[in-house]
Amino acid sequence: MLSSRIALRGFRLLAWRGLSSSAHTHATQEKGVATPVLDCSQPQYIDRPDIPLPDITCITKYNLEQLKLKEKESGPWSQLTKDEKLALYRLNFQKTYAEMRQRSNEWKTVLGVVLWFAGLTGLFYWWGLAYVYKPVPHTFSEDWVAMQTQRMLDLRINPVSGFSSHWDYEKKQWKK
Amino acid sequence: MSGALAKPVMRGMLAKRLRFHLIAAFSLAIGIAATFKFAVAEPRKKAYAEFYKKYDVAKEFEAMREAGVFVSARPTGK
C-alpha cells in the first residue's frame, strides 16, 4: 500500500514535471531536497508475492542508528537481539508475505463504483428510450402477434419438440 | 533458532499437478459428454422417432390446406 502511494505520487510528479517550469526539476536534482522522484531507470523495490527478492532493499540510505545496526550485522548473528533481527528484516523488506496477502475491503468500493456507473448507464438508456427511439413497429401489437401465432401453428412450425408441439390440434388449445 | 521449519517440496510438483489435473480433465470431459448424450441427444432422437411413428402426411396436408397456408392448393369449398 505505501509503495503504491509513493508510486502514485511519483507518477503524478512525473506528469506535472512536463508542465512545470525547469526550476522544479533543477530543485529536485539538488541533493538534500525531500521530494521523492520516481526514477524508472533505477532498480525498484516492490512488494509482490511472486518476487521474493526485489532488485534492491526497501531502505537504501541508512541513518545513524541503521548504520550501527548494519555494522553489528557484519559480526556474529547470535549476538543480535530479536528486535534487532526484526529491524534488519524491515530494512530489507517493507511487508511480510502475510501482510502482502492481507485482504482489504477494496472490493466493496470497486463493486460500489461499478454499480453506480451501471446505474448511470441505465439513466442514459432510459433517456434513449424516451427521446431517441421511435415507437415499436405495428407487427408487435397484440392483434398482429395473435394472427402471427395462428399462422405459425397452421404452418406446423417445429412440430416435433418446438413451437407447434405445445399446441393440441384436436382441442385447439395449448397443451397443459 | 527456535524450531526448524519442515523442508519444502523440492521436486515432482509438475507431476503431482498433472496427475490430479489429467484425471480430473478426462473424467470431466467424458462425464459431460455422457450427460449430454443421455440427457439431450437420446431423448431428442426418441422424440423424433415417436413423432414420425404416428405421422400421417395426407391428414396433415389436408389440415394445412384448409388453414390456407398453401398457394397452389387452395382450401376446398367455396
Side-chain angles (χ1 to χ4, degrees), chain A residues 41-57:
Chain A
S41 64
Q42 300 299 317
Q44 306 274 329
Y45 174 80
I46 189 153
D47 278 316
R48 283 184 57 135
D50 54 345
I51 302 178
L53 280 176
D55 297 332
I56 51 166
T57 57

mmCIF file of all heavy atoms in Angstrom, chain A residues 41-57:
data_model
loop_
_atom_site.group_PDB
_atom_site.id
_atom_site.type_symbol
_atom_site.label_atom_id
_atom_site.label_comp_id
_atom_site.label_asym_id
_atom_site.label_seq_id
_atom_site.Cartn_x
_atom_site.Cartn_y
_atom_site.Cartn_z
ATOM 1 N N SER A 41 14.679 4.346 -14.320
ATOM 2 C CA SER A 41 15.870 3.713 -14.884
ATOM 3 C C SER A 41 16.660 2.978 -13.805
ATOM 4 O O SER A 41 17.564 2.217 -14.102
ATOM 5 C CB SER A 41 16.757 4.761 -15.548
ATOM 6 O OG SER A 41 17.212 5.669 -14.562
ATOM 7 N N GLN A 42 16.313 3.226 -12.538
ATOM 8 C CA GLN A 42 16.991 2.560 -11.432
ATOM 9 C C GLN A 42 16.196 1.343 -10.982
ATOM 10 O O GLN A 42 14.992 1.281 -11.193
ATOM 11 C CB GLN A 42 17.129 3.522 -10.237
ATOM 12 C CG GLN A 42 17.931 4.768 -10.570
ATOM 13 C CD GLN A 42 19.334 4.405 -10.983
ATOM 14 O OE1 GLN A 42 19.986 3.561 -10.387
ATOM 15 N NE2 GLN A 42 19.804 5.034 -12.052
ATOM 16 N N PRO A 43 16.879 0.350 -10.349
ATOM 17 C CA PRO A 43 16.129 -0.793 -9.800
ATOM 18 C C PRO A 43 15.110 -0.309 -8.790
ATOM 19 O O PRO A 43 15.344 0.619 -8.043
ATOM 20 C CB PRO A 43 17.211 -1.638 -9.131
ATOM 21 C CG PRO A 43 18.491 -1.197 -9.699
ATOM 22 C CD PRO A 43 18.330 0.217 -10.142
ATOM 23 N N GLN A 44 13.922 -0.976 -8.814
ATOM 24 C CA GLN A 44 12.832 -0.576 -7.926
ATOM 25 C C GLN A 44 12.671 -1.602 -6.825
ATOM 26 O O GLN A 44 12.924 -2.790 -7.031
ATOM 27 C CB GLN A 44 11.526 -0.528 -8.729
ATOM 28 C CG GLN A 44 11.593 0.334 -9.971
ATOM 29 C CD GLN A 44 11.285 1.757 -9.622
ATOM 30 O OE1 GLN A 44 10.527 2.013 -8.707
ATOM 31 N NE2 GLN A 44 11.897 2.680 -10.341
ATOM 32 N N TYR A 45 12.155 -1.145 -5.694
ATOM 33 C CA TYR A 45 11.702 -2.094 -4.685
ATOM 34 C C TYR A 45 10.203 -2.302 -4.883
ATOM 35 O O TYR A 45 9.484 -1.348 -5.133
ATOM 36 C CB TYR A 45 11.958 -1.551 -3.269
ATOM 37 C CG TYR A 45 11.371 -2.454 -2.223
ATOM 38 C CD1 TYR A 45 12.029 -3.614 -1.829
ATOM 39 C CD2 TYR A 45 10.116 -2.188 -1.683
ATOM 40 C CE1 TYR A 45 11.476 -4.469 -0.917
ATOM 41 C CE2 TYR A 45 9.561 -3.053 -0.764
ATOM 42 C CZ TYR A 45 10.243 -4.181 -0.383
ATOM 43 O OH TYR A 45 9.683 -5.044 0.511
ATOM 44 N N ILE A 46 9.757 -3.544 -4.777
ATOM 45 C CA ILE A 46 8.307 -3.770 -4.872
ATOM 46 C C ILE A 46 7.896 -4.948 -4.007
ATOM 47 O O ILE A 46 8.624 -5.919 -3.890
ATOM 48 C CB ILE A 46 7.888 -4.000 -6.335
ATOM 49 C CG1 ILE A 46 6.365 -4.010 -6.430
ATOM 50 C CG2 ILE A 46 8.465 -5.291 -6.897
ATOM 51 C CD1 ILE A 46 5.833 -3.610 -7.733
ATOM 52 N N ASP A 47 6.725 -4.826 -3.378
ATOM 53 C CA ASP A 47 6.161 -5.909 -2.564
ATOM 54 C C ASP A 47 5.264 -6.746 -3.449
ATOM 55 O O ASP A 47 4.138 -6.372 -3.729
ATOM 56 C CB ASP A 47 5.317 -5.329 -1.410
ATOM 57 C CG ASP A 47 6.166 -4.917 -0.248
ATOM 58 O OD1 ASP A 47 7.078 -5.694 0.113
ATOM 59 O OD2 ASP A 47 5.924 -3.839 0.305
ATOM 60 N N ARG A 48 5.760 -7.878 -3.940
ATOM 61 C CA ARG A 48 4.919 -8.767 -4.747
ATOM 62 C C ARG A 48 5.175 -10.192 -4.317
ATOM 63 O O ARG A 48 6.324 -10.579 -4.152
ATOM 64 C CB ARG A 48 5.253 -8.620 -6.229
ATOM 65 C CG ARG A 48 4.681 -7.385 -6.875
ATOM 66 C CD ARG A 48 4.993 -7.412 -8.323
ATOM 67 N NE ARG A 48 4.468 -8.621 -8.941
ATOM 68 C CZ ARG A 48 3.820 -8.636 -10.098
ATOM 69 N NH1 ARG A 48 3.605 -7.498 -10.713
ATOM 70 N NH2 ARG A 48 3.402 -9.751 -10.617
ATOM 71 N N PRO A 49 4.134 -11.000 -4.188
ATOM 72 C CA PRO A 49 4.362 -12.386 -3.738
ATOM 73 C C PRO A 49 5.156 -13.206 -4.747
ATOM 74 O O PRO A 49 5.825 -14.161 -4.365
ATOM 75 C CB PRO A 49 2.953 -12.948 -3.550
ATOM 76 C CG PRO A 49 2.028 -11.973 -4.144
ATOM 77 C CD PRO A 49 2.714 -10.688 -4.332
ATOM 78 N N ASP A 50 5.113 -12.840 -6.025
ATOM 79 C CA ASP A 50 5.878 -13.636 -6.993
ATOM 80 C C ASP A 50 7.288 -13.088 -7.205
ATOM 81 O O ASP A 50 8.034 -13.617 -8.016
ATOM 82 C CB ASP A 50 5.125 -13.729 -8.324
ATOM 83 C CG ASP A 50 4.748 -12.365 -8.881
ATOM 84 O OD1 ASP A 50 4.810 -11.384 -8.125
ATOM 85 O OD2 ASP A 50 4.400 -12.285 -10.050
ATOM 86 N N ILE A 51 7.681 -12.040 -6.460
ATOM 87 C CA ILE A 51 9.067 -11.548 -6.493
ATOM 88 C C ILE A 51 9.584 -11.611 -5.066
ATOM 89 O O ILE A 51 9.473 -10.634 -4.314
ATOM 90 C CB ILE A 51 9.142 -10.113 -7.053
ATOM 91 C CG1 ILE A 51 8.543 -10.074 -8.463
ATOM 92 C CG2 ILE A 51 10.579 -9.642 -7.081
ATOM 93 C CD1 ILE A 51 8.533 -8.706 -9.078
ATOM 94 N N PRO A 52 10.151 -12.747 -4.647
ATOM 95 C CA PRO A 52 10.568 -12.898 -3.245
ATOM 96 C C PRO A 52 11.722 -11.966 -2.890
ATOM 97 O O PRO A 52 11.794 -11.472 -1.775
ATOM 98 C CB PRO A 52 10.994 -14.357 -3.131
ATOM 99 C CG PRO A 52 10.684 -14.996 -4.417
ATOM 100 C CD PRO A 52 10.432 -13.961 -5.434
ATOM 101 N N LEU A 53 12.645 -11.736 -3.851
ATOM 102 C CA LEU A 53 13.782 -10.860 -3.561
ATOM 103 C C LEU A 53 13.795 -9.721 -4.576
ATOM 104 O O LEU A 53 14.268 -9.896 -5.693
ATOM 105 C CB LEU A 53 15.096 -11.652 -3.648
ATOM 106 C CG LEU A 53 15.420 -12.486 -2.411
ATOM 107 C CD1 LEU A 53 16.688 -13.300 -2.657
ATOM 108 C CD2 LEU A 53 15.626 -11.590 -1.201
ATOM 109 N N PRO A 54 13.231 -8.565 -4.213
ATOM 110 C CA PRO A 54 13.206 -7.450 -5.164
ATOM 111 C C PRO A 54 14.632 -6.992 -5.498
ATOM 112 O O PRO A 54 15.590 -7.342 -4.830
ATOM 113 C CB PRO A 54 12.440 -6.355 -4.419
ATOM 114 C CG PRO A 54 11.708 -7.065 -3.351
ATOM 115 C CD PRO A 54 12.545 -8.235 -2.977
ATOM 116 N N ASP A 55 14.723 -6.145 -6.556
ATOM 117 C CA ASP A 55 16.044 -5.763 -7.066
ATOM 118 C C ASP A 55 16.884 -5.034 -6.037
ATOM 119 O O ASP A 55 18.110 -5.110 -6.076
ATOM 120 C CB ASP A 55 15.865 -4.879 -8.308
ATOM 121 C CG ASP A 55 15.167 -5.640 -9.430
ATOM 122 O OD1 ASP A 55 15.315 -6.876 -9.456
ATOM 123 O OD2 ASP A 55 14.495 -5.002 -10.250
ATOM 124 N N ILE A 56 16.254 -4.252 -5.174
ATOM 125 C CA ILE A 56 17.004 -3.561 -4.122
ATOM 126 C C ILE A 56 16.288 -3.753 -2.799
ATOM 127 O O ILE A 56 15.151 -4.212 -2.773
ATOM 128 C CB ILE A 56 17.124 -2.042 -4.401
ATOM 129 C CG1 ILE A 56 15.741 -1.440 -4.707
ATOM 130 C CG2 ILE A 56 18.105 -1.762 -5.508
ATOM 131 C CD1 ILE A 56 15.721 0.040 -4.665
ATOM 132 N N THR A 57 16.953 -3.401 -1.714
ATOM 133 C CA THR A 57 16.306 -3.464 -0.402
ATOM 134 C C THR A 57 15.368 -2.279 -0.272
ATOM 135 O O THR A 57 15.444 -1.303 -1.017
ATOM 136 C CB THR A 57 17.335 -3.405 0.728
ATOM 137 O OG1 THR A 57 18.090 -2.206 0.573
ATOM 138 C CG2 THR A 57 18.247 -4.602 0.673
#
